[in-house]
Amino acid sequence: MNVAVLGAGAVGTAVADLAGDYGHTVTALADSSSAAIAGGESGDDGIDVADALAAKRAGERLGDAAPDDALEAEYDVLVEATPTTLGDAQPGFGHVARALERDRHVVLANKGPVAERFGEVRDLEAESAGTVRFEATVGGAMPVLSTIEDFDPDQITAVRGVLNGTANFILTRMGAEGLGYEHVLAEAQDLGVAEADPTFDVDGTDAALKCVIVANVLADGREYTLDDAEVQGIEDIPGSALELATEDARTIRLIGEVTPAGEVRVGPRLVPEHGTLAVTGTENIVQLETEHAGRLNVSGRGAGGPETATAVLADVGRLPEL
């Protein structure tokens, strides 16, 4: 398929770089200041991805076009990989709407549209020949949403898990080394595990957005947004709390959950030290409680450019021909 990629951060650039390995052609790649767009009426030859990414690394323009021009390029699938925003979920939601209005498919790495405006996205999809998929919004490379889809959302009774690698790295280091939060956060930033502004990760927002998306997939007629989630982060956990937990053969993890009653909650929880939910480092895990198959565990890398790009490109491969 011909793919246009909006967003040239870690995920967007990885999608562009790997698309050819999956048999797809990149016909447009845009960041916030410029775009590279394939010439010709069909764009079947695609852009020179290597040249565009080299220009990006050098701090130059991706191409000669304006970012919004990528929305008007020739493509079968729009990959929306711009940063997640809350509230109105713009500009991501507008990009989704424009692609669907053109009867094109959309694959999301951006959580905003399906966490904050899920019902509107589904309404636009219903009026379009295009399809919206968003595996990459929950758990990076982990096939969480596709597993729910395969089982049928009606057969999933609850979901819980560790859904943020940065928070998990911090808690793992605090527990293993007896270090304080601020010290480990600085270490995580030095290692590139935490962003310069880690707020979304450590205050629970990122995990909550993922749980809201899961709740929307599971919901029967109800729409969830971040406002429906009960969220507590890890900023105020003292190192002594992890030491006390260890004495009782337990540890603390930031757990997100969608309960059988449809509640969305994220917060620090005590879990068995060697239990399934006590994943370490940047590892993520999601547990699905099913009606007839018991508990399913899906674990792996929940973030990262190439990892998340594999989920995006798997979604592209699931799309029907237009």
Side-chain angles (χ1 to χ4, degrees), residues 138-145 147-148 158-169 172 206-207 210-211 214 251-258 265-266 269 271-289 295-303:
V138 180
M142 295 157 52
V144 176
L145 298 182
T147 301
I148 291 173
V159 179
R160 76 181 63 83
V162 174
L163 285 161
N164 185 272
T166 299
N168 206 58
F169 176 89
T172 300
D206 177 70
K210 294 168 184 175
C211 288
V214 169
T251 190
I252 298 173
R253 290 293 181 262
L254 183 68
I255 303 296
E257 57 184 333
V258 181
R265 299 192 298 238
V266 173
R269 303 284 186 267
V271 300
E273 188 174 17
H274 301 294
T276 308
L277 289 174
V279 290
T280 59
T282 58
E283 193 85 352
N284 282 192
I285 185 168
V286 171
Q287 294 182 331
L288 306 176
E289 300 289 350
R295 177 179 295 167
L296 305 178
N297 295 320
V298 182
S299 63
R301 297 184 177 182

Side-chain angles (χ1 to χ4, degrees), residues 82-160:
T82 64
T84 295
T85 55
L86 305 182
D88 64 4
Q90 294 289 13
F93 177 80
H95 299 158
V96 172
R98 181 68 190 112
L100 291 173
E101 287 165 1
R102 294 185 64 195
D103 290 323
R104 302 297 195 264
H105 297 307
V106 177
V107 172
L108 287 159
N110 179 349
K111 303 174 190 66
V114 281
E116 297 285 59
R117 303 178 72 170
F118 187 80
E120 293 173 81
V121 169
R122 285 306 198 203
D123 288 344
L124 288 168
E125 181 185 34
E127 297 171 359
S128 173
T131 299
V132 180
R133 297 196 66 91
F134 43 97
E135 179 70 75
T137 63
V138 180
M142 295 157 52
V144 176
L145 298 182
S146 57
T147 301
I148 291 173
E149 180 181 39
D150 288 345
F151 262 78
D152 185 339
D154 289 342
Q155 300 302 313
I156 307 298
T157 57
V159 179
R160 76 181 63 83

